[in-house]
Amino acid sequence: MQHEPEAMKDNAYFDNAATTWPKPEPVYRFMDSFFRSHGVNPGRSGSLLAVEAEQMITATRRMLAGFFGFSGSANRVIFTLNGTDALNMSIGGLVSPGDHLITTRLEHNAVLRTANHLERDARLAVTRVAAQADGYIDPQDIKAALRPDTRAIVLNHASNVIGCVQDLAAVAAIARNAGVHLIVDAAQTAGVLPIDMDDLGISVLTFPGHKGLFGPMGIGGMIVAESVDLAPQRFGGTGVDSLSDYQPDAYPYHLEAGTVSLPGIAGLHAAQLWFRELGQQQHEAALAESLSGEALSEATADEADQALDHGTLCRLAMQHVHQVELAHLARIEAKLREFKAVNILADARADARVATISFTVDGLSTERVADQLDADHQICARAGLQCAPLVHVDAKTVDGGGTIRLSPGYFTDEEDMQQLLAALDDILG
């Protein structure tokens, strides 16, 4: 058994799968400054402040479109309350009574409960495809579930419990070939793994703002392909076409009713700029590694003349973020595997995972382990079913109270890691 560090942080945070924390400093600063200087209702008047607030929102839509490889109108970037709201709106706005929906047993309740309610109340037929023992969905199982009345496939890109990243390209190809819509829940991958909507042919991509995108809580969104029209699920003021008895047809007003979260969007705006700057740093570092002296100066000058676009820089940033997070996770997993009593769920591959791991401990309840991590070691983790009950039903972890989930983040530091590793030694050793 190893001793704890002499001094511990008040909170060593390992629950980034729930929400990333802390955020980049520019996010805090810009949210505060913009809300103080432009805290008006955007799109509702012709005042300079309202126009400038709307310009910030429009710029954020454009950046998010580039971030997710979407070349359509930025007006198809829709802001929602959160990722759950986006999934409710996208599924409910796409399917009709009598349709068939394919999803998986790895889904979050944002999908499961939405599908369950529609199945019960709106005569929607639902097929829930199971994962293999290693935690991955076989795309051929999704293909086999297709029916003539299949309207859409809803796929959890990465599990919030076991971290497995599904083969999105293969599922997207199946959807395209079948003429079926694909809704992607990118809650665990937005900001961590590059997603190219255009290349994959995704119909609707949904995302929360407060996880890998490093924005605040209370903001999320979806991007709706130009070929897709969702029936609105919210109705109300839009600031345009007020005489119309119904929600306008034009996007984004078709799906956005009422006042949007100006502070939330400001946070996403600042986070996008942070991603861009991080990507620029990675690009320059790669140049410096491959070149030196005069050649580097000339290359830097050339790069200044031909700046990389927002999406390209952000993809470089995401690759870096993902590498940092997986390096933390590798150390955590190696420590967990030292203990015979530890059971790690699934078998996520290094080349297809996010930095999330769940485990149980023989002879110790999940609740007890979580309580000890928190009370004795100031470790913020997540215990329970993680709002994805079917994962635990299939893994037979429900009766034991689910699992302990650890999810390091980009801002996890060495002090956090040492505190966690010492805690695991103390509790499990």
Side-chain angles (χ1 to χ4, degrees):
M1 182 183 299
Q2 296 182 2
H3 294 290
E4 298 173 11
E6 292 184 5
M8 292 190 295
K9 283 188 174 183
D10 290 339
N11 293 289
Y13 187 72
F14 286 89
D15 197 18
N16 287 276
T19 191
T20 53
W21 183 74
K23 309 299 182 184
E25 279 299 319
V27 172
Y28 297 122
R29 292 197 299 268
F30 186 72
M31 285 182 67
D32 179 70
S33 64
F34 195 85
F35 195 38
R36 289 177 185 275
S37 64
H38 289 78
V40 301
N41 205 324
R44 299 302 197 272
S45 78
S47 70
L48 178 61
L49 286 180
V51 169
E52 288 177 343
E54 185 66 26
Q55 288 172 341
M56 183 277 291
I57 293 172
T58 299
T60 309
R61 294 189 205 273
R62 288 174 179 156
M63 286 191 290
L64 286 168
F67 191 87
F68 289 113
F70 178 69
S71 63
S73 168
N75 288 335
R76 310 288 290 198
V77 179
I78 308 300
F79 292 115
T80 62
L81 300 175
N82 44 49
T84 294
D85 188 43
L87 284 163
N88 273 258
M89 292 176 66
S90 59
I91 297 170
L94 192 59
V95 301
S96 301
D99 284 343
H100 175 237
L101 180 75
I102 299 172
T103 188
T104 82
R105 293 178 64 85
L106 297 177
E107 305 301 316
H108 187 278
N109 268 335
V111 171
L112 294 179
R113 286 179 172 167
T114 303
N116 291 346
H117 277 272
L118 291 170
E119 186 178 38
R120 185 189 69 183
D121 303 332
R123 295 189 296 107
L124 181 73
V126 182
T127 298
R128 301 165 184 85
V129 175
Q132 301 172 100
D134 60 2
Y136 293 93
I137 299 291
D138 184 344
Q140 293 306 309
D141 289 342
I142 290 179
K143 184 176 181 179
L146 289 167
R147 301 181 353 188
D149 58 348
T150 302
R151 175 69 169 164
I153 299 167
V154 184
L155 181 70
N156 183 334
H157 190 195
S159 168
N160 70 312
V161 180
I162 55 179
C164 294
V165 175
Q166 305 306 323
D167 190 344
L168 181 55
V171 176
I174 289 169
R176 285 197 312 272
N177 292 336
V180 170
H181 292 295
L182 176 61
I183 300 172
V184 176
D185 174 8
Q188 297 298 317
T189 54
V192 179
L193 296 176
I195 300 173
D196 193 318
M197 279 192 68
D198 287 352
D199 183 59
L200 295 170
I202 296 170
S203 297
V204 186
L205 179 75
T206 70
F207 54 87
H210 65 101
K211 298 182 191 274
L213 290 179
F214 290 113
M217 299 170 183
I219 189 70
M222 58 183 169
I223 305 180
V224 184
E226 297 273 7
S227 59
V228 178
D229 188 27
L230 298 183
Q233 307 294 296
R234 308 275 188 272
F235 309 97
T238 56
V240 301
D241 201 13
S242 293
L243 284 175
S244 173
D245 293 333
Y246 303 99
Q247 205 67 14
D249 292 330
Y251 281 68
Y253 314 109
H254 187 60
L255 299 176
E256 289 180 0
T259 301
V260 296
S261 172
L262 185 70
I265 297 170
L268 284 179
H269 184 96
Q272 284 290 292
L273 296 178
W274 177 83
F275 270 108
R276 183 192 299 174
E277 176 61 26
L278 180 61
Q280 183 64 41
Q281 293 170 9
Q282 297 307 305
H283 178 56
E284 291 175 0
L287 272 178
E289 187 174 343
S290 61
L291 301 170
S292 61
E294 185 176 340
L296 177 59
S297 298
E298 292 177 359
T300 303
D302 289 342
E303 289 298 331
D305 292 336
Q306 298 180 338
L308 300 180
D309 62 37
H310 179 76
T312 301
L313 289 174
C314 288
R315 283 190 287 276
L316 292 174
M318 282 184 271
Q319 290 168 6
H320 175 63
V321 167
H322 194 208
Q323 289 170 358
V324 169
E325 293 182 347
L326 287 185
H328 294 321
L329 189 74
R331 294 174 65 188
I332 296 169
E333 183 171 0
K335 173 59 67 176
L336 289 172
R337 292 194 183 279
E338 292 178 7
F339 306 103
K340 293 182 179 179
V342 168
N343 308 293
I344 297 174
L345 260 67
D347 189 19
R349 304 190 307 269
D351 65 335
R353 74 178 307 171
V354 292
T356 295
I357 192 166
S358 285
F359 65 97
T360 60
V361 183
D362 294 339
L364 291 177
S365 71
T366 295
E367 183 179 2
R368 177 179 171 182
V369 175
D371 286 347
Q372 286 186 268
L373 284 169
D374 182 27
D376 299 339
H377 301 277
Q378 288 72 58
I379 303 292
C380 297
R382 174 74 182 273
L385 304 184
Q386 295 93 22
C387 298
L390 297 187
V391 175
H392 294 278
V393 170
D394 292 349
K396 297 180 173 54
T397 53
V398 173
D399 290 344
T403 59
I404 303 99
R405 183 184 71 186
L406 296 170
S407 49
Y410 181 70
F411 292 108
T412 299
D413 61 22
E414 184 60 25
E415 189 176 353
D416 294 319
M417 289 296 301
Q418 290 299 328
Q419 193 160 322
L420 173 64
L421 297 177
L424 294 175
D425 271 326
D426 182 57
I427 297 168
L428 305 175

